[in-house]
Each structure stands twice: as C-alpha cells, then as structure tokens.
Amino acid sequence: MSYIVLARKYRPKNFAEMVGQGHVVQALGNALTTQRLHHAYLFTGTRGVGKTTVSRILAKSLNCVGPDGSGGITATPCGVCQACTDIDSGRFVDYTELDAASNRGVDEVQALLEQAVYKPVQGRFKVFMIDEVHMLTNTAFNAMLKTLEEPPEYLKFVLATTDPQKVPVTVLSRCLQFNLRPMAPETVLEHLTQVLQAEQVSAEAQALRLIARAARGSMRDALSLTDQAIAFGGGQLAEATVRQMLGAVDRSHVFALIDALARADGATVVQTVDALRFNGLSAASTLEEMTGVLQRMAVAQTVPSLGTADSSDPEAQAVARLAQALPADETQLLYSLCLHGRGELGLAPDEYAALTMVLLRLLAFKQPVRQVAAAPSPAAVEKKSLIRPPEPEQAAPVYRPPVAPPVPVVAAAPTVTVPPPPPPVVVPETAPVPVPAPPMVSEPEPMPAALPALGPDTALADASEGDFWFGTVMDLVKRELVAALVRELALQSQLLRREGGTWQLRVDRETLNQAGARDRLQTALAAAGHAVTLQVSTGPVSDSAARRLAAQAAARQLEAEAAIADDPFVQQMMREFGGKIVPGSVRPL
C-alpha cells in the first residue's frame, strides 16, 4: 500500500476534528441543526487553514443518510454511508469541485451552471464548490450572478478564496462569508503532538515548536514540514536536524544579540554577527527570530503575569531575563528596527553588514554619555565652548529646547489669565486690498517632546531648588552631555533636596525611572562639575525644567498675541475690512 502523506491522512472528516476554527464550526453546526441553510457560502483565509475541508464536511452534512440509510441533514455526518464515503474519495456525482485557477473563463462557468437545471442523482443536494474563486474573469462572475442569487432549492454554492478583496461585491453580497483564521503556533504544536503520537514517531518538543512557527498559521504546511522532517531525520524529529532543515537561526545567537544590545556592548554584537556569517546562517532569519523573542519580551514587560517562566518551554526563562535587562521603550524600538531592517537587507551589498547596521542603530539611539578621564572645571568648559562650540552628535533627531537663563521665581508666582481667542472667521474674499502678513508671525516653535499640557498660570513650586535645577539642566543640554532618555529624565524631573553628596529627584512616570538612565545622568552631572549620587523616586511633580520651559513658551505666546491685537495696522484692517485674526496663526519669533 502506498504511503499517504500526513496532510491527507489526518484531514478532518467531520466538524469535531476541525482544529482552530471553532467560530466557523459553531455557526455551521447551529445552522445545520436548525436547518436554517443559506444557498451560498464563501470561505476565506490563508492557505492550509481548512477552506476545502469545511466545504467537503458541509457537503457530507447536507447529503448524509446515516448508517441505516434513514438519516437527514445533520451537523455530525456518519462518515460510513455511501454519500460520506464517496465525497471523501472524490467520486460523489452530486458534489462538483471547480478549480478557478485553471478554469477561470466564462465557458467553464457556463458548463458548470448547465448542470444546475438537473436534480441530484444520488444525494439530497447538489453542491458546487469553486476553489480560488477570485481567479475568475469578470465575464465569468457576471455569468454566474443570477444563478448564485436564486439557485434551485436543491443547489448549494460553496466558494473558497485566499484573496477576498478581488471578489466583486456583487458576489460577496450573495453569500454568507466565513473567515478561517490562521492558527496559533500553540494550536499547531498541540495537533502535531497528537499526530506524531498516533504515528508513533519520537519528537523533541523544541523541534515541534520550530515547525509550528515555520508553518505560519497553516496546518497543511505544518504537516508537510513534519513529513519532510521525518524523512530528513531518519524517522525522528530532533531540534538540531529540524533547525538545519528549516535553516532557522539558533535562538542562542538571538539571545546573545539582545543581551549585548541591553548592555550597550557593540563589540559583542559585531562578533555575534560575524559568527552568523561564519556558520552561514541567514540574516533575514536572524531578524525574524529576534522579532519573535522581542514580542514575547514586550508581553512579559507589559503583563508580567503572562510572562512567568513556563516549565515546558526552555526559552521562557531566557525571555524573562532579557525582559528585565532591556527597558520597555527600547524593546519596542528594537522590535521596530528589526521589522524595518528586513526590508533593508536586499538593498545592501552585504546582508551581514546590513544586519550589523540594523542592530547598531539601537546603540546610536541609546546615546551613551561620552566618558571623560577627569571632569574639567566649569571655567575650563566655558572657555573651551567660547573657542570652539561643540559639534552636535550624529544621532537620531531629537528636540533641543531653546536655552534660556534661569528665571527668578518669587515665592508665589503670579498667575496669568489667558484671554479667550477671537472666533475663527475667514477674511472676506472681496477685500479691496490684500492684507500683508503681520510682521511678528513666523513658523511655529517646536515644543519639548512629551511635555504635559500646562497653561501659563501653572504655579512653580519649590522655587529655591527649582531655580538651581533648571540652570543645571539647561547647562547639561547646552553642552550636549545628555540626550535621548537621559535628557528626558533631566527635563521631566524635580529636584527635591540636596544633602551632602546626594541629590533626590522625582519623576511622574515610572518609564523614566530606569537605572541605566539614572546612571548616565549621574555621569553627565559629574562631567559638569557635580560629582553627586542621584536617588530617583516616582510621584507627583510640581516643578521641572520641562514645566518651566512650557510656562515660558505660553507667556511668549500671550505676548505675541497681545502685540498683534494691539498693532494699529491690524486694528485698522479689522475695523475697515472686517478682517479677523485666525486663531492659532500667531507664533512668537
């Protein structure tokens, strides 16, 4: 007897054997039980998720007569009657499958529809199944519209497609549409375990995980890869042989890369990429495996209860450790870099060089503080800056707020009442003379990133420490000693007190309170002449450099609006020609 491949041997014969499509099975089962049957069904989904299988089971359910020949329409076909066995073997005369990929013309569709006028020969219903229906021509679709909308009572249409966007809406509106979802790797893994137990084939759990991930949601692909792995491994499925067959990258390399990036160890990153090159492992597969690990890390960081170590998964502990080592925002950034980096591999002359650049890009975003042998005195730094201004670092563009001298703050800062903006009115088109742009209007001034929404009347507390901290932060920004997350920590924090060599800061977001950012800010302060130890806590912040910059910007905005409103020329244009100041169009110079 010839060998039957696993994808055919373990093809579901009834709805109970369907895997991963419970929503479709429930809807069809209830419709068959209550006999509320539609005349046309459309099954959509990627390859290997069960579209043709569901069509055959539906045909058996409509035509099953039971083991004793007295059964009716049922949601649980017996599988032993003449109709069930003939449909499974592909010789049931009243069940017709048409492959629209190779029979896409109007002549083939008309030949199929000519059979619709004849009643079933063996079964209870005629079932026309058209696979890859989106491949039909427009004339073929038009030829079947009328019959598809009002078929004879004994005729059922079942359409299947992997691309429903190409099916005309006139066809979609005549069908009940069911979307068969791609299967989760866990679902595929569970089914493969059952199949191999039935086949009495030994398999390592990690080898099955590799196959489940490589199937990409297709159960047929998973079973086909399992067949190939059994042949490749001589009747056994070991992780090493399956990884070699798939060309998959050993995740130990991936874990080493992510760990090196978390430690900002560029040398280890380059050495690991060289090892990948030496072993002939694909750069694209490396990025793909990294995205999978980073996704699990992000879940563990966001929902710790879901990131607990699983004893059945040997990679769970490594993922949990890396989730603690790499900050959540850097995890998201690295995930995005890996996704976009896959598209850059083909543009570079060497894919491994492109892989190196993709990974080192994260280190460029991290912007570590430049190490200095000895912290120079403030006077020396100021003298050096007068001789030659420091060149900006080559990194991702970040906003650098305008440098302003420390603003003296009294004990109770006066509040400023914001006048309501004039109603937005368009200048009449029939104005006899063109209105020149007001002299103080310019491009909008960029605001600091991630600043809270504050008005000009915000009270700034702790003025004595706030003045000192504002001047210190502005000095760090001016000398470019802080960047990226470290710069945000400095801008968003409030200095609570200074006791000896210890400064206590407070931030209002836990994401800013990271050990790496705190240490780099401490190093930057040492380079600026403040050799102190920082203690950062999380809580409400009433006075920070970011809040002061926002208050200054709001005050400048009010001054600019007042200057425009008091300008004699502007008042004359408003009085004589009905002109209005468009809200939001005035910005301070």
Side-chain angles (χ1 to χ4, degrees), residues 131 207 231 292 346 436 488:
D131 198 10
E488 285 302 310

Side-chain angles (χ1 to χ4, degrees), residues 81 205 359 450 472 501 579:
C81 67
L359 300 178
T472 302

Side-chain angles (χ1 to χ4, degrees), residues 204-229:
E204 296 180 2
Q206 194 62 20
L208 295 183
R209 286 191 176 90
L210 291 174
I211 294 177
R213 288 200 298 261
R216 298 181 180 275
S218 171
M219 187 63 74
R220 184 175 62 221
D221 288 3
L223 292 172
S224 298
L225 288 173
T226 304
D227 256 329
Q228 182 180 354

Side-chain angles (χ1 to χ4, degrees), residues 119-196:
K119 289 187 176 182
V121 176
Q122 288 181 270
R124 195 177 294 114
F125 291 94
K126 274 183 174 290
V127 179
F128 288 168
M129 194 276 179
I130 304 179
D131 198 10
E132 299 298 339
V133 68
H134 67 276
M135 299 291 288
L136 292 179
T137 62
N138 290 332
T139 53
F141 275 122
N142 294 332
M144 66 181 294
L145 284 179
K146 189 62 178 177
T147 307
L148 183 63
E149 182 177 14
E150 297 179 356
E153 60 181 6
Y154 52 80
L155 178 60
K156 303 295 181 184
F157 279 95
V158 179
L159 312 179
T161 178
T162 56
D163 194 355
Q165 303 297 329
K166 295 182 179 180
V167 179
V169 293
T170 52
V171 174
L172 295 176
S173 64
R174 289 167 165 83
C175 303
L176 285 185
Q177 183 171 346
F178 295 92
N179 182 29
L180 279 72
R181 304 164 184 165
M183 300 180 196
E186 294 78 10
T187 303
V188 177
L189 174 62
E190 181 180 357
H191 186 65
L192 291 181
T193 303
Q194 297 175 357
V195 168
L196 293 178

Side-chain angles (χ1 to χ4, degrees), residues 345-416:
L345 296 181
L347 302 177
D350 182 359
E351 66 173 4
Y352 297 99
L355 174 61
T356 304
M357 292 299 297
V358 170
L359 300 178
L360 294 182
R361 194 170 301 160
L362 176 67
L363 301 185
F365 275 101
K366 290 169 78 76
Q367 282 293 307
V369 178
R370 292 169 294 185
Q371 301 294 328
V372 291
S377 63
V381 174
E382 181 178 1
K383 180 179 180 181
K384 180 180 178 181
S385 62
L386 293 175
I387 298 175
R388 180 182 180 184
E391 298 180 357
E393 298 177 1
Q394 300 298 323
V398 295
Y399 169 74
R400 305 189 186 281
V403 179
V407 180
V409 181
V410 295
T415 59
V416 182

